Amino acid sequence: MTHNPIRPWRNIARRKSRRIMVGPVPVGGDAPISVQTMTNTPTADARATIDQVRRAAEAGADIVRVSTPDEDSTRALRAIVRESPVPIVADIHFHYRRAIEAAEAGAACLRINPGNIGSAERVREVVKAARDHGCSIRIGVNAGSLERHLLEKYGEPCPEAMVESALDHIRLLEDNDFHEFKISCKASDVFLAAAAYQALAEATDAPIHLGITEAGGLMTGTVKSAIGLGSLLWAGIGDTIRVSLSADPVEEVKVGYEILKALGLRTRGVQIISCPSCARQGFDVIRTVEILERRLEHIRTPMSLSIIGCVVNGPGEALMTDIGFTGGGKDAGMVYLAGRQSHKMSNDEMIDHIVELVEARAAEIEAAEGEAAEGEAVGHEAAGREAAGRAAG
């Protein structure tokens, strides 16, 4: 959001973690919280998987994970990595050879639990492959697949069992002097996941990957993820997120960004603030917002837009958004720019007009950012010449 400033009471103090790299994407430290998703195509079908990866990337995914359960999948992975616009994480379960093959195929990260792939020698081989090929590793603890000895010890999946599992896996990597890893502690139960993540955040400085696993369909999964991930992110926990939905991966990316936008942690595209509508509305708010959401999907520049049906809350909301429209009657409403009344607009022409205003505002913001970046580069260049001159003198 560009017009609405960040107030002190909105600040979130993020947990301090060390930074690793997933390909060119930094995770942890002060890096932006990255948004991930996972393909659901057969990985051996490289073309279908590449197409899905590209759609996810266009929606804003920073990192995409693909499952590699067999040799056909790891063979296809090389082409997928080559054509992907974002780093690819190879999802490995149990078979250490798949991890080595994925590293050789160019995966940026391996999702693997070191304790589940066999002997200490096999762990060393996987770590060597990761190190040789510049891969990071994600340790993925899941309440649904905890080790048998932990279930026997604790009697059921619980935060203590999950964190103990996580620390055991961490120890295997650190014993091999490997520290380029992040870690997750997922459960489908919101309370269990939140408690496990809170304990994990205190036990390690590794970057944390957040997720409520197997959250459900688009509606139920979104609600569960917003509650679980939102509460953790609000507490400053989390360096990268994946919303797990039984839906198109693109929807996972969209929901992920909406959670981050709601907390002011990251912005991308237009944030529409709209009323639920009532008998006071001067135009069809619900239909208008549905159309605007579709027509503004191509905008990547962060900005805010308020669409309010009447003058009860409309002017107040418009004060805090880049662009606003408030219903003033059955035929026309008021357009606001940067929080100020600008001009009236008929309801019939309002949608096209708002799209034009948003596109124009996006172009202005991008141009200003480009000029600022150019000025900064010139400043660095001048400083470099001055330093060189002093050295020569």
Side-chain angles (χ1 to χ4, degrees):
M1 192 179 301
T2 54
H3 180 60
N4 188 9
I6 298 295
R7 270 69 173 192
W9 38 265
R10 295 183 63 195
N11 289 347
I12 293 175
R14 286 180 61 188
R15 161 185 168 270
K16 292 182 179 179
S17 64
R18 67 174 184 270
R19 193 178 82 164
I20 69 166
M21 300 299 294
V22 178
V25 176
V27 175
D30 59 356
I33 296 170
S34 52
V35 176
Q36 302 190 28
T37 187
M38 185 173 182
T39 58
N40 54 29
T41 53
T43 305
D45 186 344
R47 179 47 51 197
T49 303
I50 290 165
D51 289 344
Q52 195 170 73
V53 168
R54 284 177 172 166
R55 288 198 306 110
E58 287 171 4
D62 301 296
I63 299 167
V64 174
R65 179 159 48 110
V66 301
S67 181
T68 51
D70 49 39
E71 289 185 72
D72 288 341
S73 297
T74 52
R75 275 195 292 267
L77 192 63
R78 194 174 299 276
I80 295 167
V81 168
R82 184 173 60 247
E83 297 195 39
S84 172
V86 295
I88 295 295
V89 177
D91 193 79
I92 312 294
H93 284 282
F94 307 120
H95 207 302
Y96 82 107
R97 285 298 312 169
R98 302 292 86 78
I100 295 171
E101 292 161 5
E104 292 171 347
C109 180
L110 306 175
R111 188 276 187 193
I112 192 167
N113 286 349
N116 293 349
I117 59 173
S119 65
E121 177 57 33
R122 288 183 175 182
V123 174
R124 281 194 293 273
E125 288 187 50
V126 170
V127 168
K128 182 179 185 303
R131 184 178 284 117
D132 288 349
H133 296 278
C135 287
S136 55
I137 287 176
R138 172 159 78 89
I139 297 170
V141 175
N142 194 306
S145 56
L146 283 173
E147 295 87 333
R148 182 178 299 173
H149 75 277
L150 291 174
L151 292 176
E152 292 174 352
K153 176 179 178 179
Y154 291 97
E156 64 178 356
C158 62
E160 294 80 6
M162 294 172 69
V163 173
E164 184 170 333
S165 175
L167 296 179
D168 286 345
H169 291 304
I170 284 175
R171 198 171 298 111
L172 289 172
L173 294 183
E174 291 182 339
D175 285 348
N176 284 277
D177 196 28
F178 190 88
H179 304 277
E180 288 292 304
F181 62 85
K182 52 184 173 163
I183 188 160
S184 63
C185 226
K186 295 185 179 183
S188 58
D189 181 276
V190 170
F191 294 97
L192 175 55
Y197 273 118
Q198 288 162 359
L200 181 66
E202 295 178 0
T204 178
D205 69 344
I208 287 180
H209 172 96
L210 290 185
I212 303 298
T213 193
E214 296 145 1
L218 181 57
M219 175 65 75
T220 56
T222 293
V223 172
K224 286 178 67 174
S225 296
I227 294 169
L229 304 190
S231 64
L232 290 163
L233 290 164
W234 199 339
I237 297 170
D239 301 289
T240 181
I241 67 172
R242 188 246 173 137
V243 176
S244 298
L245 303 176
S246 300
D248 189 319
V250 167
E251 299 299 328
E252 295 187 348
V253 177
K254 290 180 180 179
V255 174
Y257 271 103
E258 291 303 321
I259 292 172
L260 293 177
K261 283 197 287 188
L263 292 168
L265 289 167
R266 194 167 173 192
T267 55
R268 184 180 192 272
V270 182
Q271 181 175 1
I272 299 179
I273 296 161
S274 60
C275 68
S277 80
C278 69
R280 292 191 303 265
Q281 67 179 351
F283 61 97
D284 189 338
V285 174
I286 293 174
R287 174 180 169 275
T288 298
V289 171
E290 288 176 349
I291 295 172
L292 286 172
E293 284 181 336
R294 290 196 303 270
R295 292 190 57 182
L296 296 176
E297 280 188 343
H298 66 291
I299 301 295
R300 303 289 182 258
T301 307
M303 72 176 72
S304 54
L305 168 66
S306 58
I307 303 293
I308 310 296
C310 74
V311 295
V312 173
N313 291 325
E317 292 291 354
L319 288 174
M320 297 183 287
T321 54
D322 292 292
I323 298 169
F325 184 83
T326 295
K330 65 179 182 180
D331 297 321
M334 178 61 68
V335 174
Y336 292 76
L337 300 177
R340 297 184 178 183
Q341 284 191 7
S342 177
H343 54 278
K344 286 188 175 181
M345 174 56 56
S346 72
N347 294 340
D348 292 338
E349 299 175 304
M350 173 258 294
I351 291 177
D352 287 340
H353 186 58
I354 288 175
V355 171
E356 291 172 0
L357 290 173
V358 169
E359 291 175 338
R361 178 61 181 148
E364 289 176 5
I365 294 171
E366 290 169 8
E369 290 176 348
E371 290 176 4
E374 184 178 343
E376 185 176 348
V378 170
H380 287 319
E381 184 178 344
R385 287 198 299 269
E386 183 178 344
R390 285 198 302 269

